[in-house]
């Protein structure tokens, strides 16, 4: 199919050609050929020149869309309330919230002191904790990591990343004076204050693999080189983290891999004491504790994938002393269990949809009776919002759907009544009644039913197989694809595109078992599910078979590469963001971030059986001569999760194999960002405008 984009380009303009330098790897009697291995040299002038040449080529091809990109950007901007304030939430004696100001890229973090009765007092003076716009001045990228106010309310600990490499530096600010103190540390992950606000426990990453492997304790005012070593995890599959119980009586030290977890704890009032093991790790078992009145409440999957809840005395918390509170439900996964002084909340997954049940405490006894928080739409996302106060009598939760903007509710545990506190305001003429959402089930190749969420504009949709169809997928790490509202999406819906979100195996949309059925040696289920979902939507006439757009990022980019190799005929346009496409070379390099830990997700190619299976779907290794869809691949030079060279190598190799020269293959590298792309909200909108312009022009909808 001739491309409208390429038709407007001077035939003399040709895409860059990357040099081919043989780099074979021998393993298990097989050879992996990697002619573009040289692109890994980030500091090489030749590599930089190649990436810039690809950017120049992409800019040339997309030059005729600049006007459309600006139109799309203005459309998306018109649906954003640029000056806005989040719902204030209480934490101790303060209410915290953020402002966004028209024209400013980043949020401003603020607070007000609570009234005497702990209610929100809008007349109390507003204090600015941190203006991220000021932090970002003169910098092309700025991201916050941790953000934590000390228990006495006087100090703010926060971490920043100025490159996109997700390498964070610790800062401490005195909120009374505005002074940033000399206390600092590098490569910091999680952090937690001690109750007296005199010390911070924090985790530090390994310099090469970026694994959070150590816990240190810093005393305010002391030199960084005097920070006290607390703990180190040697097993490269595991990361460490620090936190605290909701009642603030215990500090927690978590050690976790993709499949196994282990906790240690210490009384918060004696933070320099040695952390005590709660329960020894058991392979392929996860547990997550909290504390209330001398008991640990623990969500654990030791009897099955759907989790149960047990309690254990603080004095003897090991498995031998666990008492079952709620048995595992073999049909309904327990996604979370939150404990408060007066109630507990069970977050469950029922046929792929969120459900919350609220149980009340009568003294030390948790009632078996419960109230269910109801949600009205066929497809939605709901979950707990910010609930910092252990003695609360109300519960904050969030709710949104494909047609309902993000909303925050407060649920009164005593009355069972939910009150809407704030719903995202969508200016620019948005009317939710113009849009409809559905949830359908596709049948995979092995007979498994796969849920798909759909949204479209009512007056632009005809169920006759003529609408353009956009299908998004992810399907890895047990991550449940959120069914959320997006203002930028309106620009496609208003042009008649039907948008679908495939909840394929490998994700956590139907619980841990759903994840397990799409990873390791059954990973191909993820790809065949996506193909089956797309074919189902076409068969049911939700979209035209010659107008299918697909999008995925990171592990979703792996999905894009795999399904295009399997069924290049099924898709018309592909958007692939920071795609994990060079599975074999990456998973054979244990020096890279994430590799060893992710043996539990993909498999270890050093093992012959895993090597053969992983090679069977690795996108880079399975490119073949033939016609491919119009493809825009985007990456970032400072990505620490999927290194820029994976998409760069993929595009370079595909250029040598792709037989339909009349269809575009574009690579764009953001030279100043990381895995999530641009950090500023306006810059990010312009990135989306580029994607949408590519789609609309290729489909003749511009």
């Amino acid at each position: 199919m001739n491309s409208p984009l390429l038709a407007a380009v001077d035939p003399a303009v040709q895409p860059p050609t990357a040099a081919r330098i043989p780099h074979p790897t021998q393993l298990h009697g097989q050879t992996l050929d990697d002619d573009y291995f040289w692109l890994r040299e980030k500091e090489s002038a030749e590599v930089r020149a190649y990436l810039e040449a690809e950017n120049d080529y992409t800019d040339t091809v997309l030059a005729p869309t600049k006007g459309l990109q600006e139109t799309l950007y203005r459309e998306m901007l018109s649906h954003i309330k640029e000056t806005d304030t989040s719902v204030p939430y209480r934490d101790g004696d303060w209410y915290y919230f953020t402002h966004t100001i028209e024209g400013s890229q980043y949020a401003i973090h603020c607070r007000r002191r609570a009234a005497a009765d702990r209610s929100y007092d809008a007349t109390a003076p507003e204090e600015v904790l941190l203006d991220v716009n000021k932090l970002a001045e003169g910098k092309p990228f700025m991201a916050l990591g941790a953000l934590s106010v000390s228990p006495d309310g006087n100090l703010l600990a926060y971490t920043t990343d100025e490159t996109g490499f997700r390498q964070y530096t610790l800062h401490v600010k005195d909120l009374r004076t505005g002074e940033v103190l000399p206390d600092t540390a590098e490569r910091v992950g999680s952090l937690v204050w001690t109750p007296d606000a005199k010390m911070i426990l924090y985790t530090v990453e390994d310099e090469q693999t970026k694994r959070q492997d150590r816990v240190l304790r810093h005393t305010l005012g002391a030199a960084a080189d005097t920070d006290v070593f607390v703990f180190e995890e040697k097993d490269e599959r595991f990361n460490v983290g620090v936190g605290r119980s909701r009642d603030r009586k215990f500090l927690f030290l978590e050690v976790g891999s993709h499949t196994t977890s282990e906790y240690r704890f210490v009384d918060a009032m004696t933070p320099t004491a040695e952390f005590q093991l709660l329960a020894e790790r058991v392979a392929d078992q996860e547990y997550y504790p909290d504390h209330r009145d001398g008991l640990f409440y623990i969500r654990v999957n030791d009897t099955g994938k759907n989790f149960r809840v047990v309690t254990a005395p603080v004095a003897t918390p090991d498995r031998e002393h666990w008492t079952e509170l709620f048995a595992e439900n073999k049909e309904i996964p327990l996604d979370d269990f939150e404990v408060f002084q007066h109630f507990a909340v069970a977050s469950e997954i029922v046929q792929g949809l969120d459900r919350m049940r609220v149980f009340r405490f009568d003294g030390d006894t948790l009632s078996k009776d419960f109230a269910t928080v109801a949600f009205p739409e066929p497809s939605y996302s709901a979950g707990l919002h910010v609930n910092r106060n252990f003695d609360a009598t109300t519960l904050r939760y969030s709710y949104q759907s494909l047609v309902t903007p993000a909303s925050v509710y407060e649920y009164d545990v005593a009355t069972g009544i939910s009150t809407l506190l704030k719903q995202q305001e969508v200016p620019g003429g948005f009317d939710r009644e113009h849009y409809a959402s559905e949830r359908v089930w596709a049948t995979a190749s092995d007979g498994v039913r796969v849920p798909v969420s759909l949204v479209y504009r009512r007056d632009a949709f005809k169920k006759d197989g003529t609408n353009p169809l956009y299908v998004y997928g992810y399907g890895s790490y047990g991550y449940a694809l959120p069914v959320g509202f997006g203002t930028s999406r309106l620009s496609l819906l208003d042009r008649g595109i039907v948008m679908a979100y495939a909840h394929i195996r490998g994700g956590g949309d139907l619980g841990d078992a759903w994840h397990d059925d799409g990873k390791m040696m059954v990973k191909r289920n993820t790809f065949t599910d996506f193909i089956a979902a797309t074919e189902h939507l076409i068969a049911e006439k939700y979209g035209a078979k010659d107008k299918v757009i697909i999008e995925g990022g990171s592990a979703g980019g792996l999905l894009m590469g795999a399904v295009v190799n399997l069924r290049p005929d099924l898709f018309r346009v592909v958007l692939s963001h920071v795609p994990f496409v060079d599975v074999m070379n990456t998973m054979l390099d244990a020096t890279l971030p994430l590799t060893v830990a992710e043996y539990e997700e993909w498999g270890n190619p050093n093992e012959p059986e895993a090597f053969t299976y992983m090679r069977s779907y690795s996108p880079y290794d399975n490119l073949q001569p033939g016609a491919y869809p119009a493809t825009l691949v985007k990456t970032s030079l400072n990505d620490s999760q999927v290194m820029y060279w994976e998409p760069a190598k993929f595009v370079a190799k595909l250029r040598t194999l792709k037989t339909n020269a009349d269809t575009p293959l574009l690579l764009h590298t953001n030279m100043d960002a990381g895995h999530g792309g641009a950090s500023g909200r306006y810059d990010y909108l312009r990135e989306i405008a580029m994607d949408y312009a590519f789609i609309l022009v290729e489909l003749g909808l511009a």
Side-chain angles (χ1 to χ4, degrees), residues 257-260 284-288 299-302 304-308 328 330-336 349 477-480 504-519 522 601:
S257 74
H258 284 286
T259 64
T260 306
D284 298 323
Q285 288 186 16
E286 301 168 69
Y287 71 87
Y288 303 97
R299 184 175 67 96
V300 59
N301 63 350
D302 58 346
K305 289 294 180 181
N306 285 354
F307 286 86
R308 65 177 181 140
E328 179 197 17
K330 299 297 183 182
E331 303 299 324
I332 299 175
L334 178 62
D335 193 49
D336 203 355
I349 303 172
Y477 301 113
Y479 175 71
I504 51 184
R505 282 176 285 182
D509 306 78
L510 276 75
D512 277 10
W514 197 248
H515 176 207
D516 287 351
D517 211 16
K519 71 174 188 178
V522 288
E601 179 72 21

Short mmCIF file of all heavy atoms in Angstrom, two decimals, residues 257-260 284-288 299-302 304-308 328 330-336 349 477-480 504-519 522 601:
data_model
loop_
_atom_site.label_atom_id
_atom_site.label_comp_id
_atom_site.label_asym_id
_atom_site.label_seq_id
_atom_site.Cartn_x
_atom_site.Cartn_y
_atom_site.Cartn_z
N SER A 257 11.92 -10.29 44.39
CA SER A 257 12.18 -10.56 42.98
C SER A 257 10.83 -10.53 42.26
O SER A 257 9.82 -10.14 42.83
CB SER A 257 12.86 -11.92 42.81
OG SER A 257 11.93 -12.98 43.01
N HIS A 258 10.82 -11.00 41.01
CA HIS A 258 9.55 -11.04 40.27
C HIS A 258 8.59 -12.06 40.85
O HIS A 258 7.38 -11.97 40.63
CB HIS A 258 9.81 -11.36 38.80
CG HIS A 258 10.34 -10.21 38.02
ND1 HIS A 258 9.58 -9.14 37.63
CD2 HIS A 258 11.60 -9.93 37.55
CE1 HIS A 258 10.31 -8.27 36.96
NE2 HIS A 258 11.54 -8.73 36.90
N THR A 259 9.10 -13.03 41.60
CA THR A 259 8.24 -14.13 42.05
C THR A 259 8.31 -14.41 43.54
O THR A 259 7.53 -15.21 44.05
CB THR A 259 8.61 -15.43 41.32
OG1 THR A 259 9.95 -15.81 41.67
CG2 THR A 259 8.52 -15.27 39.81
N THR A 260 9.23 -13.78 44.26
CA THR A 260 9.48 -14.14 45.65
C THR A 260 9.74 -12.88 46.47
O THR A 260 10.38 -11.95 45.98
CB THR A 260 10.72 -15.06 45.75
OG1 THR A 260 10.55 -16.19 44.88
CG2 THR A 260 10.94 -15.55 47.17
N ASP A 284 9.17 -18.67 44.79
CA ASP A 284 7.88 -18.53 44.10
C ASP A 284 6.73 -18.24 45.06
O ASP A 284 5.56 -18.49 44.72
CB ASP A 284 7.56 -19.76 43.25
CG ASP A 284 8.58 -19.98 42.14
OD1 ASP A 284 9.05 -18.97 41.58
OD2 ASP A 284 8.93 -21.14 41.86
N GLN A 285 7.04 -17.71 46.22
CA GLN A 285 6.00 -17.25 47.13
C GLN A 285 6.24 -15.78 47.48
O GLN A 285 7.37 -15.39 47.77
CB GLN A 285 5.95 -18.08 48.41
CG GLN A 285 5.39 -19.48 48.23
CD GLN A 285 5.23 -20.21 49.54
OE1 GLN A 285 5.25 -19.61 50.62
NE2 GLN A 285 5.05 -21.52 49.46
N GLU A 286 5.15 -15.00 47.48
CA GLU A 286 5.22 -13.60 47.84
C GLU A 286 4.37 -13.37 49.09
O GLU A 286 3.30 -13.97 49.23
CB GLU A 286 4.69 -12.72 46.71
CG GLU A 286 5.43 -12.88 45.39
CD GLU A 286 4.67 -12.20 44.26
OE1 GLU A 286 4.60 -10.95 44.26
OE2 GLU A 286 4.13 -12.91 43.39
N TYR A 287 4.84 -12.49 49.97
CA TYR A 287 3.99 -12.07 51.07
C TYR A 287 4.20 -10.58 51.34
O TYR A 287 5.29 -10.04 51.11
CB TYR A 287 4.22 -12.92 52.32
CG TYR A 287 5.53 -12.73 53.05
CD1 TYR A 287 5.67 -11.74 54.03
CD2 TYR A 287 6.63 -13.56 52.81
CE1 TYR A 287 6.87 -11.58 54.73
CE2 TYR A 287 7.82 -13.41 53.51
CZ TYR A 287 7.94 -12.42 54.47
OH TYR A 287 9.11 -12.25 55.16
N TYR A 288 3.14 -9.91 51.81
CA TYR A 288 3.15 -8.47 52.01
C TYR A 288 2.48 -8.14 53.35
O TYR A 288 1.28 -8.34 53.50
CB TYR A 288 2.43 -7.77 50.86
CG TYR A 288 3.02 -8.11 49.51
CD1 TYR A 288 2.47 -9.12 48.72
CD2 TYR A 288 4.15 -7.46 49.06
CE1 TYR A 288 3.03 -9.46 47.50
CE2 TYR A 288 4.73 -7.79 47.84
CZ TYR A 288 4.16 -8.79 47.06
OH TYR A 288 4.73 -9.12 45.86
N ARG A 299 -0.73 -10.60 53.45
CA ARG A 299 -1.30 -11.18 52.21
C ARG A 299 -0.24 -12.07 51.60
O ARG A 299 0.89 -11.62 51.35
CB ARG A 299 -1.71 -10.06 51.24
CG ARG A 299 -2.41 -10.53 49.97
CD ARG A 299 -2.88 -9.35 49.15
NE ARG A 299 -1.79 -8.59 48.61
CZ ARG A 299 -1.29 -8.73 47.37
NH1 ARG A 299 -1.80 -9.64 46.54
NH2 ARG A 299 -0.29 -7.97 46.96
N VAL A 300 -0.56 -13.33 51.34
CA VAL A 300 0.45 -14.29 50.92
C VAL A 300 -0.15 -15.29 49.92
O VAL A 300 -1.33 -15.64 50.01
CB VAL A 300 1.03 -15.04 52.14
CG1 VAL A 300 -0.06 -15.77 52.92
CG2 VAL A 300 2.14 -15.99 51.75
N ASN A 301 0.68 -15.75 48.99
CA ASN A 301 0.20 -16.71 47.97
C ASN A 301 0.81 -18.10 48.19
O ASN A 301 1.23 -18.77 47.25
CB ASN A 301 0.50 -16.21 46.55
CG ASN A 301 1.99 -16.07 46.27
OD1 ASN A 301 2.82 -16.17 47.17
ND2 ASN A 301 2.32 -15.83 45.01
N ASP A 302 0.84 -18.54 49.44
CA ASP A 302 1.44 -19.84 49.75
C ASP A 302 0.51 -21.02 49.52
O ASP A 302 0.95 -22.17 49.52
CB ASP A 302 1.97 -19.86 51.19
CG ASP A 302 0.89 -19.56 52.22
OD1 ASP A 302 -0.20 -19.08 51.83
OD2 ASP A 302 1.14 -19.80 53.42
N GLY A 304 -1.85 -20.80 46.84
CA GLY A 304 -2.29 -20.67 45.46
C GLY A 304 -2.02 -19.28 44.95
O GLY A 304 -1.66 -18.37 45.70
N LYS A 305 -2.22 -19.06 43.67
CA LYS A 305 -1.86 -17.81 43.02
C LYS A 305 -2.76 -16.64 43.41
O LYS A 305 -2.42 -15.48 43.17
CB LYS A 305 -1.88 -17.99 41.50
CG LYS A 305 -0.75 -18.85 40.97
CD LYS A 305 0.59 -18.17 41.19
CE LYS A 305 1.76 -18.99 40.69
NZ LYS A 305 3.05 -18.32 40.95
N ASN A 306 -3.93 -16.91 43.99
CA ASN A 306 -4.89 -15.84 44.23
C ASN A 306 -4.76 -15.17 45.59
O ASN A 306 -5.52 -14.25 45.89
CB ASN A 306 -6.31 -16.36 44.04
CG ASN A 306 -6.66 -16.54 42.58
OD1 ASN A 306 -5.88 -16.17 41.70
ND2 ASN A 306 -7.80 -17.12 42.30
N PHE A 307 -3.83 -15.63 46.43
CA PHE A 307 -3.52 -15.03 47.72
C PHE A 307 -4.61 -15.27 48.78
O PHE A 307 -5.78 -15.38 48.49
CB PHE A 307 -3.27 -13.52 47.61
CG PHE A 307 -1.95 -13.17 46.98
CD1 PHE A 307 -1.82 -13.08 45.59
CD2 PHE A 307 -0.83 -12.93 47.76
CE1 PHE A 307 -0.60 -12.75 45.01
CE2 PHE A 307 0.39 -12.60 47.19
CZ PHE A 307 0.51 -12.52 45.81
N ARG A 308 -4.15 -15.35 50.02
CA ARG A 308 -5.00 -15.39 51.20
C ARG A 308 -4.45 -14.38 52.20
O ARG A 308 -3.42 -13.74 51.94
CB ARG A 308 -5.02 -16.79 51.81
CG ARG A 308 -3.67 -17.26 52.36
CD ARG A 308 -3.76 -18.62 53.02
NE ARG A 308 -2.46 -19.06 53.56
CZ ARG A 308 -2.31 -19.68 54.72
NH1 ARG A 308 -3.37 -19.97 55.47
NH2 ARG A 308 -1.11 -20.05 55.14
N GLU A 328 -7.83 -18.36 50.58
CA GLU A 328 -7.73 -18.04 49.16
C GLU A 328 -9.03 -18.39 48.46
O GLU A 328 -9.63 -19.44 48.69
CB GLU A 328 -6.58 -18.83 48.52
CG GLU A 328 -6.45 -18.55 47.03
CD GLU A 328 -5.60 -19.60 46.32
OE1 GLU A 328 -5.40 -20.68 46.88
OE2 GLU A 328 -5.17 -19.31 45.19
N LYS A 330 -10.31 -19.41 44.99
CA LYS A 330 -9.72 -19.97 43.77
C LYS A 330 -10.24 -19.28 42.50
O LYS A 330 -9.63 -19.41 41.43
CB LYS A 330 -10.00 -21.46 43.68
CG LYS A 330 -9.41 -22.28 44.83
CD LYS A 330 -7.89 -22.22 44.85
CE LYS A 330 -7.31 -23.10 45.96
NZ LYS A 330 -5.82 -23.00 46.02
N GLU A 331 -11.35 -18.53 42.63
CA GLU A 331 -11.94 -17.87 41.46
C GLU A 331 -11.63 -16.38 41.39
O GLU A 331 -11.67 -15.79 40.32
CB GLU A 331 -13.47 -18.06 41.47
CG GLU A 331 -13.91 -19.52 41.51
CD GLU A 331 -13.44 -20.29 40.29
OE1 GLU A 331 -13.41 -19.70 39.18
OE2 GLU A 331 -13.09 -21.47 40.44
N ILE A 332 -11.33 -15.78 42.54
CA ILE A 332 -11.19 -14.32 42.60
C ILE A 332 -9.83 -13.96 43.22
O ILE A 332 -9.62 -14.19 44.42
CB ILE A 332 -12.32 -13.68 43.41
CG1 ILE A 332 -13.67 -13.98 42.76
CG2 ILE A 332 -12.11 -12.17 43.53
CD1 ILE A 332 -14.86 -13.48 43.56
N PRO A 333 -8.90 -13.40 42.45
CA PRO A 333 -7.61 -12.99 42.99
C PRO A 333 -7.75 -11.83 43.98
O PRO A 333 -8.54 -10.90 43.76
CB PRO A 333 -6.83 -12.54 41.74
CG PRO A 333 -7.52 -13.19 40.59
CD PRO A 333 -8.96 -13.25 40.98
N LEU A 334 -7.00 -11.92 45.07
CA LEU A 334 -6.92 -10.84 46.06
C LEU A 334 -5.71 -9.99 45.70
O LEU A 334 -4.56 -10.37 45.94
CB LEU A 334 -6.79 -11.42 47.47
CG LEU A 334 -6.65 -10.41 48.61
CD1 LEU A 334 -7.89 -9.52 48.71
CD2 LEU A 334 -6.39 -11.13 49.92
N ASP A 335 -5.96 -8.83 45.13
CA ASP A 335 -4.89 -7.99 44.59
C ASP A 335 -4.19 -7.17 45.66
O ASP A 335 -3.02 -6.81 45.52
CB ASP A 335 -5.46 -7.08 43.50
CG ASP A 335 -4.40 -6.42 42.68
OD1 ASP A 335 -3.48 -7.12 42.21
OD2 ASP A 335 -4.45 -5.18 42.50
N ASP A 336 -4.90 -6.86 46.75
CA ASP A 336 -4.30 -6.08 47.82
C ASP A 336 -5.16 -6.23 49.07
O ASP A 336 -6.35 -6.60 48.99
CB ASP A 336 -4.21 -4.60 47.43
CG ASP A 336 -3.13 -3.84 48.21
OD1 ASP A 336 -2.52 -4.45 49.11
OD2 ASP A 336 -2.91 -2.66 47.91
N ILE A 349 -9.98 -8.86 42.05
CA ILE A 349 -10.15 -8.82 40.59
C ILE A 349 -11.23 -9.83 40.22
O ILE A 349 -11.04 -11.04 40.38
CB ILE A 349 -8.84 -9.16 39.87
CG1 ILE A 349 -7.73 -8.20 40.29
CG2 ILE A 349 -9.04 -9.11 38.36
CD1 ILE A 349 -6.35 -8.57 39.76
N TYR A 477 5.02 -8.84 32.96
CA TYR A 477 5.32 -8.50 34.35
C TYR A 477 4.11 -8.56 35.28
O TYR A 477 4.15 -8.04 36.40
CB TYR A 477 5.95 -7.11 34.45
CG TYR A 477 7.23 -6.97 33.66
CD1 TYR A 477 7.29 -6.14 32.55
CD2 TYR A 477 8.37 -7.67 34.03
CE1 TYR A 477 8.47 -6.01 31.81
CE2 TYR A 477 9.55 -7.54 33.31
CZ TYR A 477 9.59 -6.72 32.20
OH TYR A 477 10.75 -6.59 31.48
N GLY A 478 3.02 -9.13 34.85
CA GLY A 478 1.83 -9.15 35.68
C GLY A 478 1.19 -7.78 35.82
O GLY A 478 0.37 -7.56 36.72
N TYR A 479 1.52 -6.87 34.92
CA TYR A 479 0.97 -5.51 34.96
C TYR A 479 -0.41 -5.51 34.31
O TYR A 479 -0.57 -5.88 33.14
CB TYR A 479 1.91 -4.56 34.23
CG TYR A 479 1.39 -3.15 34.09
CD1 TYR A 479 1.32 -2.30 35.20
CD2 TYR A 479 0.99 -2.65 32.86
CE1 TYR A 479 0.86 -1.00 35.07
CE2 TYR A 479 0.54 -1.35 32.72
CZ TYR A 479 0.46 -0.53 33.84
OH TYR A 479 0.00 0.76 33.70
N ALA A 480 -1.41 -5.11 35.08
CA ALA A 480 -2.77 -5.04 34.56
C ALA A 480 -2.94 -3.76 33.75
O ALA A 480 -2.70 -2.66 34.25
CB ALA A 480 -3.77 -5.09 35.70
N ILE A 504 -4.29 -9.02 27.51
CA ILE A 504 -3.73 -10.31 27.11
C ILE A 504 -2.94 -10.97 28.22
O ILE A 504 -2.52 -10.33 29.18
CB ILE A 504 -2.83 -10.10 25.87
CG1 ILE A 504 -1.82 -8.97 26.13
CG2 ILE A 504 -3.69 -9.78 24.64
CD1 ILE A 504 -0.95 -8.60 24.95
N ARG A 505 -2.72 -12.27 28.09
CA ARG A 505 -1.94 -13.01 29.08
C ARG A 505 -0.49 -12.52 29.15
O ARG A 505 0.06 -12.06 28.16
CB ARG A 505 -1.98 -14.50 28.76
CG ARG A 505 -3.28 -15.17 29.17
CD ARG A 505 -3.34 -16.61 28.76
NE ARG A 505 -3.60 -16.77 27.33
CZ ARG A 505 -3.74 -17.95 26.71
NH1 ARG A 505 -3.62 -19.08 27.40
NH2 ARG A 505 -3.97 -18.00 25.41
N GLY A 506 0.05 -12.65 30.33
CA GLY A 506 1.36 -12.06 30.64
C GLY A 506 1.18 -10.83 31.51
O GLY A 506 2.06 -10.47 32.28
N GLY A 507 0.02 -10.16 31.37
CA GLY A 507 -0.34 -9.08 32.27
C GLY A 507 -0.99 -9.65 33.52
O GLY A 507 -1.16 -10.86 33.67
N GLY A 508 -1.41 -8.76 34.41
CA GLY A 508 -2.07 -9.22 35.63
C GLY A 508 -3.54 -8.94 35.65
O GLY A 508 -4.16 -8.90 36.71
N ASP A 509 -4.13 -8.77 34.48
CA ASP A 509 -5.52 -8.32 34.38
C ASP A 509 -6.50 -9.27 35.05
O ASP A 509 -7.55 -8.85 35.52
CB ASP A 509 -5.89 -8.13 32.91
CG ASP A 509 -4.92 -7.21 32.20
OD1 ASP A 509 -3.81 -7.65 31.85
OD2 ASP A 509 -5.25 -6.03 32.00
N LEU A 510 -6.19 -10.56 35.07
CA LEU A 510 -7.04 -11.54 35.73
C LEU A 510 -6.27 -12.26 36.85
O LEU A 510 -6.56 -13.40 37.19
CB LEU A 510 -7.58 -12.56 34.73
CG LEU A 510 -8.86 -12.14 33.97
CD1 LEU A 510 -8.53 -11.12 32.89
CD2 LEU A 510 -9.56 -13.33 33.35
N GLY A 511 -5.26 -11.58 37.42
CA GLY A 511 -4.53 -12.14 38.54
C GLY A 511 -3.20 -12.75 38.14
O GLY A 511 -2.78 -12.73 36.98
N ASP A 512 -2.52 -13.32 39.14
CA ASP A 512 -1.19 -13.87 38.93
C ASP A 512 -1.17 -15.05 37.97
O ASP A 512 -0.19 -15.26 37.23
CB ASP A 512 -0.58 -14.30 40.27
CG ASP A 512 0.05 -13.13 41.02
OD1 ASP A 512 -0.15 -11.98 40.59
OD2 ASP A 512 0.73 -13.37 42.03
N ALA A 513 -2.23 -15.85 37.97
CA ALA A 513 -2.28 -17.00 37.06
C ALA A 513 -2.29 -16.52 35.60
O ALA A 513 -1.73 -17.18 34.71
CB ALA A 513 -3.50 -17.86 37.34
N TRP A 514 -2.92 -15.37 35.36
CA TRP A 514 -2.96 -14.77 34.01
C TRP A 514 -1.54 -14.36 33.60
O TRP A 514 -1.15 -14.51 32.44
CB TRP A 514 -3.90 -13.58 34.03
CG TRP A 514 -4.38 -13.08 32.71
CD1 TRP A 514 -4.07 -11.89 32.13
CD2 TRP A 514 -5.29 -13.74 31.80
NE1 TRP A 514 -4.71 -11.75 30.93
CE2 TRP A 514 -5.48 -12.87 30.70
CE3 TRP A 514 -5.95 -14.96 31.82
CZ2 TRP A 514 -6.30 -13.19 29.63
CZ3 TRP A 514 -6.78 -15.28 30.75
CH2 TRP A 514 -6.95 -14.41 29.68
N HIS A 515 -0.79 -13.83 34.56
CA HIS A 515 0.61 -13.49 34.31
C HIS A 515 1.41 -14.74 33.98
O HIS A 515 2.14 -14.80 32.98
CB HIS A 515 1.18 -12.79 35.54
CG HIS A 515 2.63 -12.47 35.46
ND1 HIS A 515 3.43 -12.36 36.58
CD2 HIS A 515 3.46 -12.25 34.40
CE1 HIS A 515 4.66 -12.06 36.21
NE2 HIS A 515 4.72 -12.00 34.90
N ASP A 516 1.25 -15.77 34.81
CA ASP A 516 2.04 -16.99 34.62
C ASP A 516 1.76 -17.65 33.28
O ASP A 516 2.64 -18.31 32.72
CB ASP A 516 1.72 -17.99 35.73
CG ASP A 516 2.32 -17.57 37.07
OD1 ASP A 516 3.11 -16.60 37.09
OD2 ASP A 516 1.99 -18.21 38.09
N ASP A 517 0.56 -17.47 32.75
CA ASP A 517 0.20 -18.10 31.49
C ASP A 517 0.67 -17.31 30.28
O ASP A 517 0.32 -17.65 29.14
CB ASP A 517 -1.33 -18.30 31.43
CG ASP A 517 -1.73 -19.53 30.61
OD1 ASP A 517 -0.85 -20.38 30.35
OD2 ASP A 517 -2.91 -19.63 30.23
N GLY A 518 1.50 -16.26 30.54
CA GLY A 518 2.04 -15.49 29.43
C GLY A 518 3.46 -15.05 29.69
O GLY A 518 3.86 -13.94 29.32
N LYS A 519 4.24 -15.91 30.36
CA LYS A 519 5.65 -15.59 30.59
C LYS A 519 6.48 -16.86 30.44
O LYS A 519 5.94 -17.95 30.23
CB LYS A 519 5.85 -14.98 31.98
CG LYS A 519 5.68 -15.94 33.14
CD LYS A 519 6.05 -15.28 34.47
CE LYS A 519 6.08 -16.27 35.61
NZ LYS A 519 6.48 -15.67 36.89
N VAL A 522 5.82 -20.06 28.10
CA VAL A 522 4.53 -19.90 27.41
C VAL A 522 4.34 -18.44 27.00
O VAL A 522 3.22 -17.97 26.84
CB VAL A 522 3.35 -20.39 28.28
CG1 VAL A 522 3.36 -21.90 28.38
CG2 VAL A 522 3.37 -19.76 29.66
N GLU A 601 11.09 -13.65 34.38
CA GLU A 601 10.01 -13.22 33.49
C GLU A 601 10.13 -13.85 32.11
O GLU A 601 9.15 -14.32 31.53
CB GLU A 601 10.01 -11.69 33.35
CG GLU A 601 8.93 -11.14 32.43
CD GLU A 601 7.53 -11.22 33.00
OE1 GLU A 601 7.37 -11.33 34.23
OE2 GLU A 601 6.57 -11.16 32.20
#
